[in-house]
């Protein structure tokens, strides 16, 4: 396991994992939708959107899930 950035906390990691584990394996993971859902779940977290995006991408790649790069921020 690698060292996480300073603004990523355990709650964010857990929620990203839960979101991706519940996601259908046959459809691409929408970055904007994932951000919206996970941000709602960890609204008290200090993690920024860019850190959360990075975590989603890395976690989805580990699970061999396709990504839909639709976040325009």
């Amino acid at each position: 396991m690698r060292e996480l950035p300073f603004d990523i906390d355990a709650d964010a990691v857990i929620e990203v994992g839960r979101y991706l584990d519940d996601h259908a394996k046959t459809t691409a993971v929408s970055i904007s939708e994932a951000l919206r859902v996970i941000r709602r779940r960890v609204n008290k977290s200090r993690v920024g959107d860019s850190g959360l995006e990075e975590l989603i991408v890395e976690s989805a790649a580990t699970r061999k899930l396709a990504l839909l790069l639709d976040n325009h921020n």
Side-chain angles (χ1 to χ4, degrees):
M1 189 166 164
R2 73 174 182 88
E3 187 77 24
L4 294 173
F6 72 94
D7 64 342
I8 300 289
D9 59 11
D11 291 336
V13 174
I14 291 167
E15 288 306 324
V16 167
R18 284 182 183 163
Y19 179 83
L20 293 175
D21 288 344
D22 292 343
H23 193 276
K25 305 295 185 226
T26 58
T27 60
V29 175
S30 166
I31 298 294
S32 63
E33 177 68 14
L35 275 173
R36 186 182 62 77
V37 170
I38 295 165
R39 176 63 63 202
R40 196 174 18 166
R41 292 179 184 175
V42 292
N43 60 359
K44 295 178 183 174
S45 178
R46 65 177 190 239
V47 61
D49 283 348
S50 62
L52 201 50
E53 276 183 40
E54 183 179 338
L55 186 59
I56 292 166
V57 169
E58 287 183 15
S59 298
T62 300
R63 290 169 172 80
K64 296 181 178 20
L65 296 172
L67 289 168
L68 178 60
L69 304 174
D70 60 348
N71 191 21
H72 303 292
N73 292 335

